[in-house]
Amino acid sequence: PAPAATAPASNAAPPPLSRKLVYSRPESVLATLDGGAGAALFASGMAAASAMATALLRVGDRMVCPSYSYFAIRVFFREYCDRGGIEFALFDSSVKGSLEAAIGTDGRTKLVWVETPANPSWTVTDIAHAATAAHAQNAVLCVDATVLTPLLCRPIDFGADFVMHSATKYLNGHSDVIAGAIVAAVESDAWEAVKRARAIGGAVLGAFEAWLLLRGMRTLHIRIKRQSDSALTLAARLHAHPRITHVLYPGLITHPMHAVSVAQQSGSQAAGTMFGGMLSIRVAGGAEAALHLLSRLKIWAPATSLGGVESLIEHRATVEGPDSGVPGDLLRLSVGLEDAEDLFQDLSRALDGRKRHSNNDKPESKKRKAEKAEQHATTVASGATSLLGGGDGGVEGSLLMDNASPDGNKRRCKRGCMGLVCLTDRSTHSRVQAKHYCARSDGPFPAWVRAGFPGEDDAWVARKVDERSELKWGEGLPQVEGLPPLSYPTLTAESDGGGGAAGGGVFA
């Protein structure tokens, strides 16, 4: 038989998918965000760190690493250096001169590694200072910027030679990819060595993972703003909680390196000065109390990762083991996209030793279910759901506690007042159409009325405010034993007629 006719060229199979479409697009996006000359994707954050060591360190060299950093990174570098005849030196960024002492003056230091803020203590390192110290001895500076992402801090702008990201975390943001990345400030022999280490080490990211990572970065700016805002709110409220001894978060002005953090992040392109979605708390009562808190949480999930849309909490000392160095009372929090009030209420219940029960724990009458459904619908329609707090007990369940107060009144505020102030205290509490207001939780009363009743005109709002002229908020809050003067200052820009956002408190 005659041979089959050759298919026209126009019907030929398309060429294989170009590497440019698979890898160069996410690498180009990341390099642009970080202000670098190029980026390389890796199979994981640890693979990226390994490539830096393989490319830059040789026998007789020295590597410098922070004493406070991600545990796995520190362990890897220590073991790699021990096996390769490389000196491994630690520095404490909170101690002046510690970095310079670790680098030395003999020219042997080839790689200075910085993680800021450092996991899980959230210690901040001055990147510009680190760059100056490293370059003075011809060393390369690499900054792990996983927690802040390029939207909140661009280390290359402050002198870093390389930036490392565990892209598994915030860059992807959906807990479905394991990936890493290195961004180079300039084209150089060192950069070529890093890319070669990736190739010969088999650390190339999969094509599908690269596509997913690009998908995740499309929503980075939205996610990081929500997570940063919620983390700042939680940090301020937990700072005032009697069962929390320390809140570790650079966004609080009580943080010793707050000013450095602001300076390094004020030049962010998209988000302005924010401090990220990671914080740690230390629980009164030690490790036992911290683990007990974990067992009572319902919204926060106990898990090791971070940076996803879900809020995660972790007892780092348990995960890292006996050589961790992390205090047993410390819990690391990765704030997700859930409502900040729900997240705080979940923590508050657990700290108070109360479990958050589901609706199925006990039967309810049809009448009670209908009442709760109607109440919820009214709240949602008013646009004030987040003002009333979470929980299954409706408005009353989220605001009141049954412990009798000294004056015999059983209705006490358990939000910003933590059960120390009765709802009958007219200087800090009010009720407008069945909605309860707490000055320590809800900020300026005029702004709260406006947000809670969007359907009402300005005259109605003004009348409600005038009816409660004795209310105080912000700096005007009355002193209560057991509560700080500003337990929950507000950042609301619409505040008027009082202290409000000007109070400052522990906020930036």
Side-chain angles (χ1 to χ4, degrees):
T6 303
S10 59
N11 294 331
L17 187 61
S18 168
R19 180 190 180 281
K20 182 176 181 180
L21 295 177
V22 177
Y23 294 105
S24 291
R25 288 177 65 190
E27 287 177 343
S28 176
V29 168
L30 188 53
T32 301
L33 289 175
D34 256 319
L41 298 180
F42 288 79
S44 69
M46 290 301 299
S50 176
M52 290 296 298
T54 302
L56 303 178
L57 298 175
R58 298 292 181 268
V59 176
D61 290 344
R62 179 188 299 116
M63 181 196 172
V64 174
C65 185
S67 52
Y68 300 101
S69 61
Y70 176 48
F71 183 69
I73 286 279
R74 196 167 67 249
V75 169
F76 165 74
F77 281 137
R78 184 187 296 277
E79 293 182 355
Y80 182 89
C81 290
D82 287 347
R83 289 193 303 269
I86 302 163
E87 182 182 346
F88 181 71
L90 294 173
F91 74 94
D92 185 345
S93 62
S94 65
V95 177
K96 186 177 181 180
S98 177
L99 176 58
E100 289 83 352
I103 293 174
T105 58
D106 54 9
R108 291 174 52 215
T109 299
K110 302 303 180 184
L111 175 60
V112 176
W113 188 273
V114 165
E115 179 183 338
T116 185
N119 182 4
S121 65
W122 313 120
T123 305
V124 176
T125 299
D126 187 329
I127 299 173
H129 174 77
T132 300
H135 296 159
Q137 296 298 318
N138 296 316
V140 167
L141 174 65
C142 183
V143 177
D144 182 345
T146 296
V147 170
L148 292 180
T149 80
L151 295 192
L152 302 189
C153 180
R154 304 206 310 174
I156 290 174
D157 292 346
F158 298 92
D161 301 294
F162 294 96
V163 180
M164 194 281 282
H165 296 282
S166 175
T168 307
K169 313 304 193 301
Y170 283 100
L171 292 182
N172 175 58
H174 292 78
S175 304
D176 55 6
V177 168
I178 295 177
I182 296 289
V183 180
V186 297
E187 295 288 348
S188 65
D189 291 342
W191 177 226
E192 293 302 317
V194 170
K195 290 188 288 185
R196 177 165 174 77
R198 175 183 68 165
I200 64 176
V204 178
L205 184 66
F208 182 56
E209 286 75 15
W211 180 83
L212 285 175
L213 178 59
L214 182 62
R215 168 221 57 181
M217 287 193 289
R218 290 190 178 105
T219 61
L220 176 62
H221 61 295
I222 298 174
R223 291 184 283 105
I224 202 71
K225 184 180 188 309
R226 172 64 177 259
Q227 289 163 318
S228 296
D229 290 347
S230 295
L232 183 60
T233 297
L234 289 170
R237 298 185 73 175
L238 291 170
H239 185 271
H241 200 287
R243 291 183 175 85
I244 299 296
T245 61
H246 297 83
V247 175
L248 309 178
Y249 186 66
L252 300 180
I253 63 173
T254 54
H255 191 283
M257 298 293 283
H258 173 75
V260 174
S261 186
V262 170
Q264 292 182 167
Q265 296 166 213
S266 59
S268 304
Q269 284 185 327
T273 304
M274 294 186 183
F275 303 93
M278 297 300 301
L279 66 147
S280 294
I281 58 176
R282 298 185 64 177
V283 183
E288 182 179 355
L291 291 170
H292 187 63
L293 169 62
L294 276 179
S295 69
R296 291 181 171 273
L297 293 168
K298 295 296 182 181
I299 299 177
W300 295 84
T304 297
S305 192
L306 58 92
V309 297
E310 314 89 354
S311 290
L312 307 178
I313 188 168
E314 178 186 52
H315 188 247
R316 285 302 301 172
T318 296
V319 173
E320 295 181 9
D323 298 327
S324 163
V326 175
D329 61 356
L330 184 143
L331 295 173
R332 188 187 75 180
L333 281 65
S334 172
V335 181
L337 301 184
E338 301 91 343
D339 182 77
E341 179 67 19
D342 290 341
L343 293 173
F344 176 76
Q345 290 296 338
D346 194 32
L347 288 167
S348 181
R349 290 186 188 93
L351 286 165
D352 293 340
R354 296 172 288 118
K355 288 186 177 180
R356 181 181 184 272
H357 299 288
S358 70
N359 287 334
N360 297 323
D361 285 344
K362 58 182 181 180
E364 288 187 293
S365 67
K366 291 183 178 180
K367 179 180 179 181
R368 176 56 181 158
K369 288 181 178 180
E371 290 175 350
K372 289 176 66 176
E374 181 180 359
Q375 184 183 60
H376 177 71
T378 302
T379 300
V380 171
S382 71
T385 304
S386 62
L387 299 175
L388 300 177
D392 298 317
V395 176
E396 294 297 316
S398 67
L399 293 174
L400 308 179
M401 65 192 307
D402 293 332
N403 298 342
S405 60
D407 61 2
N409 192 305
K410 293 185 178 182
R411 296 158 63 85
R412 303 177 69 188
C413 174
K414 67 172 186 177
R415 291 200 291 158
C417 299
M418 296 182 290
L420 299 177
V421 180
C422 295
L423 289 175
T424 53
D425 180 359
R426 292 179 60 82
S427 66
T428 55
H429 294 84
S430 183
R431 180 170 176 165
V432 179
Q433 293 186 1
K435 295 178 184 178
H436 291 269
Y437 165 80
C438 169
R440 289 184 176 84
S441 294
D442 299 323
F445 184 61
W448 177 85
V449 175
R450 257 194 218 101
F453 302 91
E456 302 292 346
D457 57 25
D458 290 344
W460 184 89
V461 172
R463 186 167 65 254
K464 292 300 179 182
V465 172
D466 291 341
E467 290 174 356
R468 295 305 315 278
S469 59
E470 70 273 31
L471 278 171
K472 306 294 182 182
W473 54 82
E475 291 180 338
L477 279 174
Q479 298 260 352
V480 175
E481 184 177 356
L483 291 176
L486 286 172
S487 62
Y488 182 31
T490 180
L491 294 179
T492 303
E494 300 177 352
S495 61
D496 50 21
V506 293
F507 276 113

